[in-house]
Amino acid sequence: MRDALNAGLIEFLKASPTPFHATASLVQRLEAAGYQRLDERESWATVPGGRYYVTRNDSSIIAVKLGKQSPLIGGIRMVGAHTDSPCLRVKPQPELQRQGFLQLGVEVYGGALLAPWFDRDLSLAGRVTFRRDGKVESALVDFKLPIAIIPNLAIHLNRTANEGWQINPQNELPPILAQVAGDERIDFRALLTEQLAREHELNADVVLDYELSFYDTQSAALIGLNGDFIAGARLDNLLSCYAGLQALLSADSDETCVLVCTDHEEVGSCSACGADGPMLEQTLQRLLPDGDDYVRTIQRSLMVSADNAHGVHPNYADKHDGNHGPKLNAGPVIKVNNNQRYATNSETAGFFRHLCMAEEVPVQSFVVRSDMGCGSTIGPITASHLGVRTVDIGLPTFAMHSIRELCGSHDLAHLVKVLGAFYRSRELP
Ligand SMILES: [Zn+2]
């Protein structure tokens, strides 16, 4: 099972270079398992035991498996993750022609670790909005081929590079796409029109706008003498999206189960389709009994917010509290922050620990060093919007927000197992 899950994850990462593609990948896998699309603009006719999904902005998705009994009785089991990752986004008027090169201006999305973006074989993917026959439409594109690169400056021209080098994102990040003759002018939107024709065989009159990101074309891979690791882009947080999906698909239970994967976490989640927006609440309001019974149902429910944790790195072990250094391949990590950067409390952590023990899945704890600041997740945001009890957990990783992150190859199976047990659990605390 472990090998199949890891192979599935690598495939999923490859198919999901952007939040739009990640959502499409989830849709494809949910539909193959019999889940039906619910259109937010239409009224919904759902039945007990039905399987549904909703998308918003093509980049956030909620999958729901309705229980055979009313969710008021047993509560809802929710797993949350995010579809976006830090990256470089193409600017609206991106063409730069300097020194005979075509480059594209980029905006840094989220807290990207920038140095690893240099000397990588980059491609471009995302959503393009265009006009065809007088109508405005959108489609996803993925160039797939390595069409761009951000070459480093040679050390001979930057002798102190290894002593720390501040990267100016405006000046140093525009990727190079081609060499062009002096008077030749490249129109990026015309390139996109060609890509739409190539990829979808559609003839757009004009490209109106787009959200496109660069990504590394190197596939995720099993790494290490004994295959102990998986290296790949966007493990934060497609690893959790994939684990949640596999757990949901394997959980044949009578309970109501939800998987919510939202966009814009890396920039604070504040958007119409982000965790700080109304998408989850509006979806649940349409699916659950209203009034008193809605509140009663939420109060009987529980959310597992799954997002990667920082594993203790052998070269930088002092970055962790001595008693809280999660190890790769030693199971999911319960994340605690009493200042509510994580939503975990003793009741929800205790329940998650109980599930791990029952499934014989190893479990670890993380709390940040007292002299360092702490990251956050969709956990506290969802908890404060819905008023639902929440536990923040995640798999330990290295190089978070790099273009190539690292996780343990044994941990995905651990997480799928315990999330599956959560979805199947008869009783919540
Ligand atoms: Zn994350």
Side-chain angles (χ1 to χ4, degrees), residues 82 236-237 265-266 307-308 401:
H82 63 89
D236 176 12
N237 190 8
E265 191 274 346
E266 298 293 358
D307 202 346
N308 299 346
H401 293 193

Side-chain angles (χ1 to χ4, degrees), residues 273-292:
C273 64
D276 203 10
M279 183 182 177
L280 179 59
E281 193 168 15
Q282 288 174 346
T283 302
L284 293 178
Q285 278 168 348
R286 297 179 74 169
L287 292 171
L288 300 183
D290 51 10
D292 265 19

